[in-house]
Amino acid sequence: GEDVEQSLFLSVREGDSSVINCTYTDSSSTYLYWYKQEPGAGLQLLTYIFSNMDMKQDQRLTVLLNKKDKHLSLRIADTQTGDSAIYFCAENYEDSSYKLIFGSGTRLLVRP
Amino acid sequence: GAVVSQHPSRVICKSGTSVKIECRSLDFQATTMFWYRQFPKQSLMLMATSNEGSKATYEQGVEKDKFLINHASLTLSTLTVTSAHPEDSSFYICSANIRRLAVLRETQYFGPGTRLLVL
């Protein structure tokens, strides 16, 4: 079945770069997403990447996709304390429901 | 960006009562709405997919008689937790899809979530 895995926790110092990794199992995924969740809140779409792309950059965010290894990463440059949150990667399936399958989430802690 | 609202944001109820949660897309018509459940420090688990005017599609293991979904319009879906029990206490999040014809991509926008506590 479908499975999306992430490391549970990452701690970085303010100003450093953060790299959050994700592995997935379904090679037919068309889109892969990164969402951010702050405490007690819903999910905020950060960025997405189409499966035929290797890299996408959006301001401080860089997404890398290795389709051969089914590995997705999110790099946050110049990490700020406001970036502390849980980050979820998700796969999108091109079936009729377009449902998302989420990873377990990575809790990012940014130390001042 | 697109806005999805949920009401209520928090609810505390007694065991055995039913609770209705509303999910609205405020400035767009949603092709599909999804309901998720999130336990503390865990990921989101999809409960059901809801299409306007048709029956919801429930994920395996989700009781459709327990979690009633009504999708009355393209901007409103409701989730009713019937005869709630303490184990139903959780964070319930809805999302709504926008079909962007220009890029042929579905994008999900999430509501802020509803925290349910059943005593």
Side-chain angles (χ1 to χ4, degrees):
Chain A
E2 311 97 355
D3 196 17
V4 181
E5 294 187 357
Q6 299 177 240
S7 53
L8 292 180
F9 184 75
L10 175 65
S11 177
V12 300
R13 191 170 297 178
E14 189 175 16
D16 289 349
S17 293
S18 306
V19 179
I20 302 171
N21 295 302
C22 172
T23 57
Y24 60 97
T25 55
D26 192 323
S27 59
S28 65
S29 297
T30 303
Y31 292 97
L32 295 122
Y33 300 83
W34 283 104
Y35 285 87
K36 176 183 180 183
Q37 185 181 34
E38 298 188 28
L43 272 67
Q44 173 194 355
L45 176 65
L46 287 178
T47 187
Y48 65 93
I49 189 167
F50 189 48
S51 60
N52 69 353
M53 298 168 65
D54 297 323
M55 186 193 84
K56 179 179 179 181
Q57 187 164 1
D58 184 2
Q59 299 182 336
R60 292 193 297 125
L61 305 178
T62 303
V63 179
L64 295 178
L65 175 61
N66 182 328
K67 200 171 182 182
K68 174 176 171 289
D69 294 338
K70 298 178 186 173
H71 183 266
L72 180 74
S73 69
L74 173 69
R75 179 177 180 272
I76 306 173
D78 186 26
T79 314
Q80 303 296 307
T81 55
D83 294 324
S84 293
I86 301 175
Y87 291 80
F88 292 96
C89 64
E91 292 186 89
N92 182 209
Y93 293 88
E94 286 289 345
D95 63 5
S96 59
S97 66
Y98 292 95
K99 66 183 183 183
L100 293 177
I101 304 298
F102 285 88
S104 52
T106 299
R107 184 177 295 273
L108 173 65
L109 175 65
V110 183
R111 310 185 307 273
Chain B
V3 178
V4 176
S5 70
Q6 279 185 244
H7 177 79
S9 57
R10 288 176 181 269
V11 57
I12 301 174
C13 69
K14 292 181 180 179
S15 185
T17 60
S18 294
V19 176
K20 180 186 283 188
I21 303 170
E22 292 187 349
C23 176
R24 293 182 185 271
S25 56
L26 296 185
D27 51 1
F28 66 96
Q29 291 185 330
T31 314
T32 305
M33 289 185 172
F34 300 86
W35 286 97
Y36 295 85
R37 183 175 183 177
Q38 186 181 31
F39 290 106
K41 298 185 180 180
Q42 294 189 25
S43 187
L44 279 72
M45 299 301 297
L46 179 66
M47 298 175 66
T49 304
S50 172
N51 292 291
E52 183 263 343
S54 63
K55 290 183 179 180
T57 302
Y58 290 82
E59 295 299 301
Q60 191 173 4
V62 178
E63 299 176 57
K64 60 181 180 181
D65 295 330
K66 172 78 172 174
F67 299 100
L68 299 178
I69 292 174
N70 183 285
H71 197 149
S73 73
L74 285 171
T75 59
L76 173 65
S77 177
T78 61
L79 169 68
T80 301
V81 182
T82 61
S83 187
H85 291 283
E87 58 266 28
D88 298 323
S89 298
S90 189
F91 193 51
Y92 292 87
I93 304 176
C94 74
S95 69
N97 266 22
I98 301 175
R99 182 180 293 275
R100 295 187 185 278
L101 297 179
V103 294
L104 297 178
R105 178 176 63 85
E106 296 269 342
T107 300
Q108 282 193 37
Y109 290 90
F110 286 79
T114 296
R115 189 163 299 283
L116 170 63
L117 176 62
V118 184
L119 301 177

